[in-house]
Amino acid sequence: MTRNLRNVLAALIFAALSAMLSGCGDDETNAPSVKLTASTVVSSTDSSAHQHSVTIPFTDVSASPASAVFQYRSDTVGGHSHVIALSNQQMVDLNNGMQLTLTSSTPSSGASHTHTWSIQGGSVLYEKNCYNCHNNDKRGQNPMNVSFNASQTIAVKLPGSAPVSTAPPAIPDPNYTPTTTAPDGAALYASNCAGCHNPLATTTKPNRTAAQIRTAITGVGQMNSLGALTDAQLQAIAAALVK
């Protein structure tokens, strides 16, 4: 084999490896100035040509959702707001990268109408697991160093091609009012930690402090997706880990 041919082959191998490593979990970063803790999803317009948005906290998006129904009240536009709801199975499907089509409640005031929300699970997964390191730079690329299943991987690359969930819809309560409560450490552990560290009863990480958990999140690549957890949430997880 001539030296020139060897050089060409080496260059091709290097290029192939570089392409394989390109993705939302690689070491190249462009961290945004403001970290995301939730995914913002926007409704369709109605006859009044206005839209509403809601935010879905990353801690709700899990393979083992902590609630039977998740409800979110939208922002106020035109003097009113709406509520959307996801069933437990719809949240599981969202976590698997599927698309959801949701119909809102009637408005909090004014003429009766509803809005439709079309939510792409792949986009939500990217924002939860990749955005806080890579901004929007890696959208549509092959994810690396993230524990995604095959459906999630395809959905992150092509959010609009994922199947639409056929799970029975949840019915939003038009009178739903978000409440501010102390974080549920056991539920947060189940959603964010149990997949790697066993269920809480048999956890491999007992008696970890909030500071230790934060250090692990920033220092262990596979845990970077948990960077959006607040200090209060980490403290709740730490409290649940006390044996």
Side-chain angles (χ1 to χ4, degrees):
M1 183 181 293
T2 66
R3 177 175 296 179
N4 285 342
L5 182 56
R6 286 198 298 269
N7 290 341
V8 169
L9 287 173
L12 289 174
I13 292 171
F14 178 79
L17 288 173
S18 297
M20 290 172 63
L21 291 173
S22 175
C24 72
D26 62 21
D27 293 330
E28 181 183 347
T29 61
N30 179 27
S33 57
V34 178
K35 298 285 188 179
L36 291 181
T37 60
S39 201
T40 300
V41 291
V42 182
S43 74
S44 63
T45 58
D46 70 351
S47 57
S48 301
H50 72 273
Q51 295 174 294
H52 294 268
S53 65
V54 298
T55 55
I56 300 176
F58 292 151
T59 52
D60 289 352
V61 182
S62 166
S64 301
S67 298
V69 177
F70 296 82
Q71 298 201 85
Y72 308 102
R73 183 166 288 281
S74 77
D75 58 353
T76 299
V77 178
H80 68 271
S81 61
H82 297 261
V83 174
I84 64 170
L86 284 74
S87 68
N88 184 282
Q89 185 58 51
Q90 284 178 313
M91 188 63 79
V92 170
D93 290 348
L94 186 69
N95 185 67
N96 278 327
M98 298 179 74
Q99 300 186 76
L100 298 180
T101 300
L102 308 175
T103 301
S104 74
S105 69
T106 53
S108 56
S109 63
S112 179
H113 66 281
T114 60
H115 289 266
T116 299
W117 263 263
S118 297
I119 305 173
Q120 294 182 335
S123 295
V124 173
L125 287 172
Y126 179 91
E127 287 157 10
K128 176 179 179 180
N129 295 280
C130 312
Y131 181 88
N132 286 338
C133 284
H134 302 293
N135 217 310
N136 286 311
D137 295 350
K138 302 297 183 180
R139 283 192 188 271
Q141 298 190 31
N142 192 52
M144 300 284 290
N145 301 327
V146 182
S147 298
F148 283 154
N149 61 36
S151 297
Q152 291 170 321
T153 298
I154 294 171
V156 168
K157 294 172 64 176
L158 298 167
S161 69
V164 177
S165 170
T166 58
I171 299 175
D173 176 4
N175 298 314
Y176 169 74
T177 301
T179 57
T180 301
T181 58
D184 184 334
L188 286 168
Y189 179 92
S191 298
N192 297 283
C193 314
C196 292
H197 302 303
N198 291 347
L200 186 58
T202 58
T203 181
T204 60
K205 302 294 181 181
N207 301 312
R208 294 304 194 269
T209 66
Q212 288 173 322
I213 299 170
R214 177 66 74 192
T215 298
I217 289 172
T218 56
V220 180
Q222 292 90 332
M223 294 181 65
N224 287 343
S225 62
L226 304 182
L229 290 171
T230 66
D231 289 342
Q233 290 171 323
L234 293 182
Q235 188 59 54
I237 293 173
L241 289 170
V242 173
K243 297 296 184 181

